[in-house]
Amino acid sequence: MAMVAFAFLACNEGASVPSKDKKAAKAVTSQAFDLLGSDAATVDKALTDAGYVELKESNMNGVVARALKKVRKGIKAESSAEVMYIYNLPQDYEKMTEEESTEYVKGLMDKGKCMYVVVVRYSNNKMNMLSTRVIAPLKDNINLLFTEVSDEEYKKMPEGISVEGQKMQHWVAYTFSGDEEKEFTDHAEFVAAVAKAKTIGVEEEAYSVTKVNLTSGEPEGIAYYNVWSNPDEEEQESMLKENGFVAAIGAFSVVYQGNL
């Protein structure tokens, strides 16, 4: 009960980043559940209203691309029907030199601001995946940016159908600290552990089968997959040497599995 209470208080306090940055993060994570199955115009308006700007993936600057590779895993979009959006990056970012772009991202981190890169995937002009990569400043409570998203997504997951008395749904998470790995099957315990940690690696996944396609017999439902890395001193040194700045790195993906 103490851990549950801690998780509740931590998530309500929130990470000390600009409120608009937190709102923008929720627009492409927990609120992405409400966009699944929406057409491109609806998704574009939702992201644009949240402060995102469309960008072609081929123009993504190498400084950001290298930093995002620090994420252990992620759901990779492989469809040609994809659109990329950016947040807290200028539209002419891809025209900056290596030095200019490094200084720009470093400046964002020094100001305590976040940067997001979003890939939206469509099938039959309906969104079936939204994947977000995050670069966030290394503040003492920056892990709360992750726990706030995780808590809201966990609550938004629909209940799975029952098959032979068993619910078709699943949630599991792992934390990594040095050589130590821990598995969690209780969400409140998980977010409490992440919230109070200083340096940590995180993986979280969930799925819920909401129906079975009567034509194909294939299960359909919703899944999310999250990754978070708050680097230790050694990792920070490596990041600073490679990228010119240090940051917490995250990846959040919301997916509809099945035919829309």
Side-chain angles (χ1 to χ4, degrees), residues 36-93:
L36 290 171
S38 298
D39 60 24
T42 300
V43 175
D44 181 75
K45 184 179 187 307
L47 268 61
T48 301
D49 289 348
Y52 290 85
V53 177
E54 183 179 343
L55 180 74
K56 293 183 179 180
E57 186 172 5
S58 59
N59 290 335
M60 179 50 60
N61 190 286
V63 172
V64 173
R66 285 201 306 272
L68 295 178
K69 287 181 180 179
K70 295 295 181 181
V71 177
R72 287 168 58 97
K73 295 180 181 178
I75 299 176
K76 183 180 179 182
E78 297 179 349
S79 169
S80 59
E82 296 174 358
V83 182
M84 176 174 278
Y85 292 84
I86 53 174
Y87 177 87
N88 264 351
L89 283 173
Q91 294 189 44
D92 62 347
Y93 177 76

Side-chain angles (χ1 to χ4, degrees), residues 7 19 26 41 49 52 57 64 67 75 87 92 160 168 176 181 204-205 209 222 224 236 251:
S19 59
K26 293 177 182 180
D49 289 348
Y52 290 85
E57 186 172 5
V64 173
I75 299 176
Y87 177 87
D92 62 347
M168 300 298 290
F176 308 90
E181 176 180 333
E204 175 189 16
E205 62 181 44
V209 177
I222 295 175
Y224 73 78
Q236 289 182 38

Side-chain angles (χ1 to χ4, degrees), residues 219-235:
E220 298 184 11
I222 295 175
Y224 73 78
Y225 183 82
N226 299 332
V227 182
W228 182 254
S229 175
N230 190 335
D232 58 25
E233 290 186 2
E234 183 178 347
E235 291 169 328

Side-chain angles (χ1 to χ4, degrees), residues 50-236:
Y52 290 85
V53 177
E54 183 179 343
L55 180 74
K56 293 183 179 180
E57 186 172 5
S58 59
N59 290 335
M60 179 50 60
N61 190 286
V63 172
V64 173
R66 285 201 306 272
L68 295 178
K69 287 181 180 179
K70 295 295 181 181
V71 177
R72 287 168 58 97
K73 295 180 181 178
I75 299 176
K76 183 180 179 182
E78 297 179 349
S79 169
S80 59
E82 296 174 358
V83 182
M84 176 174 278
Y85 292 84
I86 53 174
Y87 177 87
N88 264 351
L89 283 173
Q91 294 189 44
D92 62 347
Y93 177 76
E94 70 276 6
K95 298 179 182 179
M96 291 182 180
T97 64
E98 187 88 356
E99 293 75 15
E100 290 172 338
S101 58
T102 298
E103 285 303 310
Y104 182 87
V105 178
K106 183 179 182 300
L108 280 180
M109 300 300 103
D110 291 344
K111 294 174 184 176
K113 297 182 178 181
C114 301
M115 187 188 76
Y116 311 133
V117 179
V118 178
V119 174
V120 184
R121 187 177 68 194
Y122 296 94
S123 175
N124 299 320
N125 195 38
K126 293 182 179 180
M127 191 189 91
N128 65 353
M129 188 202 77
L130 195 153
S131 184
T132 304
R133 300 298 183 265
V134 174
I135 296 180
L138 286 181
K139 292 178 173 288
D140 289 340
N141 64 355
I142 196 59
N143 289 343
L144 300 187
L145 185 65
F146 176 90
T147 58
E148 285 182 90
V149 168
S150 174
D151 193 51
E152 291 193 8
E153 290 187 331
Y154 183 79
K155 293 174 182 176
K156 279 207 169 187
M157 282 295 286
E159 185 176 358
I161 60 174
S162 293
V163 177
E164 297 181 350
Q166 183 175 354
K167 291 289 185 180
M168 300 298 290
Q169 58 191 60
H170 172 75
W171 178 89
V172 68
Y174 302 88
T175 59
F176 308 90
S177 181
D179 295 329
E180 182 181 349
E181 176 180 333
K182 183 175 181 179
E183 178 179 341
F184 291 83
T185 55
D186 181 277
H187 187 266
E189 182 183 357
F190 164 66
V191 295
V194 176
K196 70 180 182 180
K198 291 186 177 180
T199 61
I200 195 169
V202 177
E203 290 184 20
E204 175 189 16
E205 62 181 44
Y207 71 80
S208 180
V209 177
T210 54
K211 65 178 180 179
V212 175
N213 189 300
L214 296 179
T215 301
S216 65
E218 294 294 321
E220 298 184 11
I222 295 175
Y224 73 78
Y225 183 82
N226 299 332
V227 182
W228 182 254
S229 175
N230 190 335
D232 58 25
E233 290 186 2
E234 183 178 347
E235 291 169 328
Q236 289 182 38

